Amino acid sequence: MTEKENMNEQNETPPEQGAPSNFIREIVTADLAAGKNNGAVVTRFPPEPNGYLHIGHAKSICLNFGLAAEFKGRCHLRFDDTNPAKEEVEYIDSIKEDVHWLGFDWGEHMYYASDYFEKLYEYAVALIKKGKAYVCSLTAAEIREYRGTLTEPGRESPYRNRSVEENLDLFARMRAGEFEEGKHVLRAKIDMASGNLNMRDPVMYRILKAEHHRTGDTWCIYPMYDYAHCVSDSVEGITHSICTLEFEDHRPLYDWFLDELGVACHPQQIEFARLNLTHTVMSKRKFLKLVGQGHVSGWDDPRMPTLSGIRRRGYTPSSVRNFCERIGVAKRNSVVDMALLEHCIREEMNKAAPRAMAVLRPLRVVLTNYPEGESEELDAVNNPEDPSMGARKVPFSRELYIEEEDFMENPPKQFFRLAPGREVRLRYAYFITCVDVVKDGNGRIIELHCTYDPATRGGDAPDNRKVKATLHWVSAQHASEAEVRLYDHLFTTPNPGDERECPEITGCLNPASLVTLDSCRIEPSLARAERGARFQFERQGYFFVDPIDSAEGRPVFNRIVSLKDSYAKAMKAKG
Ligand code: ATP
Ligand code: MG
């Protein structure tokens, strides 16, 4: 990397790109133009409360709540809590917090699929009465075997032609708890020869003798997702039921249930591609493993792609929304480069974050010609992108810290920063020249002796002489100590979710994904930083004051991103 006189060149942003068109927006627009649904747009975000939300969910949240806002409709938050064994109240609370953090609100429209258990039961009875559902007493293994394969049709269950009366009786007794788990299930009676496996008499209800977090032990039969989901949508008056591509093959079943039930509201299911991001995984099951085995500090570990992790890292809600807008909504699965997410926060922070100086790995510098015991205050701009953010005073004195890596005793050709005999600029301050290198008994550099040129105050030489580098620094006596946490990708491979690339995710963890530096030196303005504040540390990146681990007078800074924008660079190269 070549050094630039102007450090801010590192934050250049690429040309603005318009948000890609969105086929779902077009469908909704066309529906409205055709007068469908009496002009209503009602969407929902339906998480299963079995883990914390991740950035993939943000895509779905932005899409569903975004459409509702755009078309003056509404978006429901619905917990798909049909699986009692895996769900916890902790997850429900975190999901609500994350949706709010992203900037969306469901108003009074928060629901639970479990609200509809009675309705779902009644509808199931109606299907039995219509001869469209039956109690099957095959074992789970037998049901699987009878289902057939993609190339072979299935076989009908020997219980398929039970009478309506017998079915009603057995189903009522299933509900009453008369049978053990696995003894019977309720199945839809559709078509065992269908080319679509989902249509081969899918299971609607199974017996589960489990406590439910909301309904307690009221129920011992629980509806399956495919059945519960479409009915929940219909009951709530959803107009557009937006889901990810893996449900495309389930759409005929979604439609079958609603058609057979003859409900007034039959939402339109629309599928889009889920978000995949490089260098991370996007599955609650895998996160559970990372958290459970202690590979990360928790669901909100700043390296996690969970919304709580991303928030703790320091991302803003607007940067995440902007990211979701830019990736667009398509029908084809793809993998988005993590660099785009990083680009979004960088772009925002470049405009919004006050600049400050912090030395992460301090190297002491003594200015031998600066008067002992004296100090002065220099003017530093808070944000060169935004003059309205003003300026501040930075103390300067005889003893300073600079970044260890900004000095080399025997510099190679491309190294333009400080070296013996060489002059560089200290940002907002003076030109300094290195005159001596002080080492300890082991030959380790412990201190540099430099001289400063008083005529260069403010950072410019009256004779117009040039230097090739500008360094950040802090005054030793005025600086405070801080802890800084530098983050890198959690996984070493670009696609850890791909089992060929990473058969066991814990085997692909990046051992250097967290580097903790506990004796950084920060300028006085940073010592007073409030929890949750964001800064650009000159030349080091954008940082966030950790809201949990920071202590009074000793902040902990999480690096959100470095300044190097690989996305902008790639876009530039493309032209
Ligand atoms: P996971 O596999 O992580 O458990 P999930 O799909 O089972 O995810 P749900 O709680 O069922 O998680 O998801 C709630 C909603 O979010 C669904 O509508 C789902 O389609 C959507 N969603 C989940 N993951 C993604 C993703 N990666 N990209 C876009 N939408 C997603
Ligand atoms: Mg799910």
Side-chain angles (χ1 to χ4, degrees):
M1 195 182 78
T2 56
E3 296 291 321
K4 295 276 164 57
E5 284 262 13
N6 179 2
M7 297 191 290
N8 292 304
E9 277 200 29
Q10 290 164 341
N11 338 321
E12 247 184 32
T13 54
E16 201 55 50
Q17 294 185 301
S21 81
N22 172 340
F23 76 98
I24 301 184
R25 207 177 261 151
E26 282 160 23
I27 293 175
V28 174
T29 307
D31 286 351
L32 284 176
K36 257 196 189 172
N37 309 311
N38 297 319
V41 175
V42 186
T43 57
R44 84 285 169 271
F45 172 63
E48 185 181 350
N50 62 347
Y52 281 60
L53 298 182
H54 51 63
I55 180 87
H57 292 112
K59 177 177 181 179
S60 177
I61 294 167
C62 289
L63 179 58
N64 280 293
F65 281 94
L67 284 170
E70 185 177 339
F71 295 100
K72 310 223 169 353
R74 61 175 200 267
C75 180
H76 298 180
L77 173 63
R78 184 200 313 140
F79 292 103
D80 238 310
D81 57 348
T82 49
N83 195 356
K86 287 193 294 182
E87 292 150 6
E88 281 181 38
V89 178
E90 176 196 349
Y91 299 139
I92 293 182
D93 293 339
S94 77
I95 290 169
K96 289 199 272 190
E97 187 183 355
D98 287 347
V99 175
H100 273 151
W101 176 76
L102 261 184
F104 299 107
D105 191 29
W106 50 87
E108 59 204 20
H109 298 287
M110 185 178 85
Y111 305 105
Y112 293 86
S114 57
D115 294 340
Y116 314 130
F117 280 172
E118 192 62 48
K119 186 101 208 157
L120 284 158
Y121 181 83
E122 283 168 23
Y123 276 153
V125 168
L127 287 178
I128 294 173
K129 287 183 177 160
K130 255 185 106 177
K132 296 290 180 180
Y134 63 97
V135 173
C136 180
S137 310
L138 293 176
T139 63
E142 286 166 339
I143 290 179
R144 224 173 298 125
E145 191 201 316
Y146 275 65
R147 185 177 298 132
T149 63
L150 282 172
T151 49
E152 271 170 60
R155 279 179 294 143
E156 293 189 351
S157 161
Y159 303 99
R160 199 173 198 259
N161 295 314
R162 274 178 166 148
S163 67
V164 168
E165 289 66 34
E166 191 183 359
N167 282 322
L168 288 173
D169 174 62
L170 284 171
F171 190 47
R173 288 163 60 199
M174 280 168 67
R175 176 181 183 167
E178 258 186 55
F179 308 115
E180 290 313 304
E181 287 184 13
K183 189 87 180 61
H184 305 289
V185 292
L186 185 75
R187 297 176 71 175
K189 195 186 224 176
I190 310 179
D191 178 8
M192 288 309 291
S194 171
N196 182 341
L197 269 73
N198 296 306
M199 301 299 275
R200 295 185 187 170
D201 292 10
V203 173
M204 292 171 60
Y205 270 93
R206 76 276 204 217
I207 300 169
L208 279 178
K209 307 239 162 145
E211 272 289 298
H212 187 278
H213 71 109
R214 298 190 75 238
T215 59
D217 59 5
T218 309
W219 294 90
C220 60
I221 54 171
Y222 289 93
M224 300 299 287
Y225 175 87
D226 279 325
Y227 173 58
H229 194 79
C230 58
V231 170
S232 305
D233 279 351
S234 172
V235 170
E236 290 177 18
I238 302 301
T239 56
H240 299 85
S241 177
I242 299 162
C243 62
T244 38
L245 274 185
E246 67 273 23
F247 292 102
E248 196 165 18
D249 288 347
H250 297 236
R251 186 172 0 113
L253 180 55
Y254 185 104
D255 290 335
W256 185 90
F257 279 127
L258 297 184
D259 286 341
E260 291 298 338
L261 288 168
V263 289
C265 169
H266 187 142
Q268 179 183 3
Q269 178 178 306
I270 306 169
E271 307 86 15
F272 71 99
R274 60 171 49 227
L275 168 67
N276 298 299
L277 260 192
T278 59
H279 297 285
T280 193
V281 292
M282 209 70 89
S283 140
K284 286 180 275 194
R285 188 174 48 84
K286 290 179 179 170
F287 298 153
L288 257 173
K289 188 166 185 177
L290 294 175
V291 173
Q293 296 184 357
H295 298 288
V296 291
S297 62
W299 288 94
D300 70 344
D301 186 299
R303 293 165 294 178
M304 292 275 274
T306 50
L307 291 178
S308 50
I310 284 172
R311 172 165 70 236
R312 179 92 186 261
R313 175 84 162 251
Y315 276 87
T316 58
S318 47
S319 65
V320 176
R321 288 196 304 267
N322 185 250
F323 168 75
C324 290
E325 186 64 30
R326 284 196 186 196
I327 56 175
V329 179
K331 266 278 187 198
R332 199 165 47 84
N333 277 314
S334 64
V335 183
V336 174
D337 196 323
M338 180 84 90
L340 177 59
L341 178 63
E342 295 172 350
H343 172 76
C344 290
I345 185 72
R346 233 181 240 120
E347 193 180 57
E348 188 177 308
M349 288 295 105
N350 183 41
K351 296 197 185 86
R355 275 45 171 174
M357 293 195 284
V359 175
L360 305 190
R361 296 173 178 91
L363 172 60
R364 182 177 286 266
V365 169
V366 179
L367 301 178
T368 53
N369 60 338
Y370 195 91
E372 258 175 83
E374 277 189 27
S375 69
E376 63 189 297
E377 293 205 306
L378 298 164
D379 292 314
V381 294
N382 287 334
N383 188 341
E385 300 286 320
D386 182 358
S388 77
M389 288 172 72
R392 66 188 186 285
K393 298 282 184 194
V394 200
F396 186 85
S397 63
R398 181 180 159 91
E399 293 193 11
L400 312 168
Y401 289 110
I402 64 165
E403 210 66 66
E404 214 173 65
E405 61 176 24
D406 280 338
F407 174 79
M408 279 186 93
E409 197 174 12
N410 301 297
K413 246 190 165 155
Q414 306 81 358
F415 188 85
F416 297 108
R417 291 167 276 172
L418 198 58
R422 186 180 291 171
E423 186 170 56
V424 297
R425 173 190 294 112
L426 294 182
R427 181 82 152 151
Y428 308 120
Y430 296 96
F431 285 13
I432 62 165
T433 304
C434 177
V435 294
D436 203 6
V437 181
V438 183
K439 296 180 183 172
D440 66 9
N442 299 319
R444 218 181 71 92
I445 299 170
I446 49 169
E447 192 172 286
L448 302 179
H449 288 175
C450 300
T451 56
Y452 84 114
D453 178 356
T456 58
R457 192 173 198 268
D460 284 307
D463 61 358
N464 261 333
R465 74 180 187 275
K466 298 286 178 210
V467 287
K468 287 208 170 115
T470 302
L471 310 185
H472 62 278
W473 53 274
V474 293
S475 162
Q477 78 180 91
H478 300 95
S480 298
E481 273 201 30
E483 178 176 321
V484 167
R485 296 171 183 170
L486 303 177
Y487 299 104
D488 195 357
H489 296 315
L490 189 50
F491 297 96
T492 46
T493 63
N495 301 294
D498 184 336
E499 263 152 42
R500 287 160 303 179
E501 198 171 298
C502 200
E504 178 48 64
I505 55 153
T506 52
C508 297
L509 288 166
N510 175 5
S513 59
L514 168 60
V515 173
T516 302
L517 303 171
D518 59 10
S519 46
C520 306
R521 298 296 203 286
I522 55 179
E523 67 165 79
S525 72
L526 283 173
R528 298 184 295 269
E530 301 217 357
R531 288 159 203 242
R534 298 179 181 84
F535 297 90
Q536 182 194 101
F537 289 180
E538 303 230 14
R539 301 173 64 226
Q540 296 290 7
Y542 294 105
F543 291 77
F544 178 64
V545 185
D546 191 278
I548 296 168
D549 293 340
S550 294
E552 196 61 40
R554 192 183 154 84
V556 173
F557 291 95
N558 296 330
R559 178 152 78 183
I560 315 170
V561 281
S562 68
L563 295 178
K564 226 180 288 164
D565 195 333
S566 57
Y567 175 78
K569 209 170 161 188
M571 294 315 285
K572 227 177 184 175
K574 262 193 184 165

